[in-house]
Amino acid sequence: MVTINAKKNGYNGIIIRYLFTLLLVAMLVFYNHARVRKATESPRAMIRGSDNFGGRRDQARLDFIVAGFPKAGTTTLLYAFLKHNETAIAAKEFCGLNQAIDSKIRMQHLNEVLNAMPSSDDLPVKHGIKCPMAIWDTRGIQLVSSNYKYVKLIIGVRHPALFFQSFYNYRITEMYDTNTTEKPPSPNELIGSNRWRDVSTDLARFELSLMQLGKTPMRPLDLNDLGSHGKRMTPTKYKVFLYSVEQLDDPNKDRANAFRKDLQRFLRLESPLAPFEKENSNRVIRPESINICDARFNELRKILTRQGKNTMRWIRDQFLLSEDVFVSDEEHFVSLLETWSVDPCTNFGNLID
């Protein structure tokens, strides 16, 4: 009897311990499930998107930024991505990430924009935003890089003198469109850091913006140059697709097709991009609109052309060497850059854009 009772008591103890263990396992499973669900429904999980499980993952991703420069075909790309069945992009510029406000508020605004974009159950949609000044003021890129691991940057450039003219004229048009009463300064005054609505010869020094990405070795002279212009290093592992605006409207059909295919591969899209349509040109000439070829701008063109030669060399000899930087048809791209060392008015005559 004593032996049998002892066995019963032993069996009972084993059963109790077994049931207690099952209860603990069930509690842990429930706790972990609740924690994962809470994490994936949190704003940060929504923002990080594919880094987390669950939640509206497809609508919370950020895959690419059309990051610059103004008047370098960014609106053309915006419309192309709006029409493509594998890309969703905010219909208007979104530069709120560059604002000097709390980072949580900036990310909340981005999250709202991303969640408002359409998604597809059939194809993995790539989500993007456009901010032509994102590459100049990299606070936004710095904030994005702390929340997203894999975002690609698309950056367009053009001859600095033509860029200056086009951006100045765009600001004139914008002034009329918004019924702003203002006397714009003479373009000859917008030298160096002296800016009007972001227009200046400094902005045409594209290397100042591109250096901030940390894709090239930086000499003390380069760092001093950045610092003296209020720029700062924002190293990122993001890949960069660099193009010249002429490549969007290349009369050579083979090169034009190759360019679109290269951009398609860069973004990992399955279907091809349609031929680009030119958008957002300065079609209306206002009294204050300028022709950079006028004799009164000879000295300004000299400054921009001299800067252009230095910028061209830096992009060609340093920036393009980075494993993170991609171009379509490098030989043709470099040939377009090399025109920057030549006064465009000697080749093209009077220009208005």
Side-chain angles (χ1 to χ4, degrees):
M1 288 290 295
V2 174
T3 304
I4 292 175
N5 288 335
K7 286 183 178 180
K8 284 184 177 181
N9 291 335
Y11 290 141
N12 289 339
I14 292 173
I15 291 172
I16 291 172
R17 287 195 296 272
Y18 177 73
L19 292 175
F20 182 72
T21 301
L22 286 178
L23 180 62
L24 284 177
V25 170
M27 291 175 64
L28 285 172
V29 169
F30 178 80
Y31 171 76
N32 286 330
H33 176 74
R35 186 174 62 175
V36 169
R37 182 177 179 181
K38 181 179 180 181
T40 55
E41 291 178 351
S42 69
R44 184 172 179 80
M46 293 288 290
I47 291 170
R48 293 183 68 87
S50 58
D51 289 347
N52 297 285
F53 295 99
R56 297 165 62 192
R57 182 171 60 181
D58 290 338
Q59 291 192 7
R61 290 174 52 183
L62 179 63
D63 299 290
F64 65 93
I65 302 175
V66 181
F69 283 84
K71 307 308 298 176
T74 58
T75 302
T76 294
L77 290 179
L78 171 68
Y79 280 92
F81 292 138
L82 283 172
K83 295 175 182 176
H84 199 277
N85 63 337
E86 294 175 59
T87 53
I89 188 168
K92 296 181 179 180
E93 291 183 5
F94 179 74
C95 293
L97 291 174
N98 295 345
Q99 294 178 358
I101 58 177
D102 185 85
S103 60
K104 292 182 180 179
I105 297 177
R106 285 184 282 160
M107 289 307 297
Q108 182 181 350
H109 291 168
L110 174 61
N111 194 35
E112 292 171 355
V113 169
L114 294 175
N115 283 330
M117 292 182 187
S119 62
S120 171
D121 295 329
D122 301 324
L123 290 171
V125 175
K126 306 287 186 182
H127 286 184
I129 57 174
K130 171 202 168 188
C131 178
M133 291 295 288
I135 191 62
W136 173 254
D137 182 350
T138 56
R139 283 179 297 184
I141 292 177
Q142 183 179 31
L143 181 61
V144 167
S145 64
S146 66
N147 288 274
Y148 295 91
K149 293 180 181 178
Y150 308 106
V151 175
K152 295 182 177 181
L153 305 178
I154 303 173
I155 301 172
V157 294
R158 67 188 299 184
H159 192 297
L162 303 183
F163 162 77
F164 184 99
Q165 170 187 262
S166 186
F167 196 29
Y168 185 90
N169 288 343
Y170 170 75
R171 290 306 198 198
I172 295 295
T173 300
E174 183 182 60
M175 188 176 68
Y176 277 88
D177 290 344
T178 57
N179 294 318
T180 304
T181 304
E182 180 181 0
K183 182 180 179 180
S186 166
N188 290 322
E189 299 174 14
L190 303 178
I191 308 299
S193 59
N194 190 23
R195 299 185 296 172
W196 173 67
R197 297 190 176 204
D198 291 323
V199 181
S200 74
T201 57
D202 269 359
L203 185 59
R205 289 187 59 193
F206 304 130
E207 75 275 21
L208 287 176
S209 298
L210 298 173
M211 280 181 183
Q212 298 177 95
L213 299 178
K215 303 298 183 185
T216 61
M218 295 293 289
R219 305 168 300 171
L221 183 63
D222 298 326
L223 293 173
N224 289 336
D225 198 16
L226 279 183
S228 65
H229 289 86
K231 304 286 99 181
R232 57 184 175 182
M233 293 294 294
T234 310
T236 174
K237 295 182 179 179
Y238 290 169
K239 307 296 183 183
V240 176
F241 186 91
L242 186 67
Y243 69 90
S244 182
V245 70
E246 296 91 343
Q247 293 179 285
L248 299 180
D249 191 29
D250 195 331
N252 184 309
K253 291 185 178 180
D254 291 336
R255 276 202 312 252
N257 289 334
F259 176 85
R260 293 195 303 274
K261 286 182 180 179
D262 287 338
L263 183 55
Q264 174 190 339
R265 292 191 195 99
F266 179 74
L267 292 176
R268 296 187 177 181
L269 304 176
E270 295 293 331
S271 52
L273 289 159
F276 301 117
E277 299 177 11
K278 192 172 183 180
E279 305 286 350
N280 203 23
S281 297
N282 297 318
R283 295 184 177 93
V284 179
I285 300 176
R286 303 291 185 178
E288 298 88 351
S289 298
I290 67 167
N291 184 333
I292 199 70
C293 292
D294 287 351
R296 60 193 172 120
F297 301 129
N298 285 349
E299 289 303 316
L300 176 61
R301 286 200 317 277
K302 285 181 181 179
I303 293 173
L304 290 165
T305 303
R306 184 169 60 248
Q307 287 183 181
K309 186 175 183 179
N310 294 331
T311 301
M312 175 272 292
R313 287 175 173 171
W314 183 86
I315 292 176
R316 182 193 64 190
D317 300 338
Q318 296 190 54
F319 196 62
L320 294 187
L321 299 182
S322 170
E323 295 180 351
D324 291 340
V325 177
F326 301 85
V327 295
S328 178
D329 192 339
E330 183 172 338
E331 182 178 354
H332 177 57
F333 176 79
V334 170
S335 72
L336 294 172
L337 295 190
E338 289 174 344
T339 66
W340 295 3
S341 61
V342 179
D343 184 337
C345 299
T346 61
N347 292 330
F348 304 115
N350 292 334
L351 298 165
I352 281 285
D353 179 17

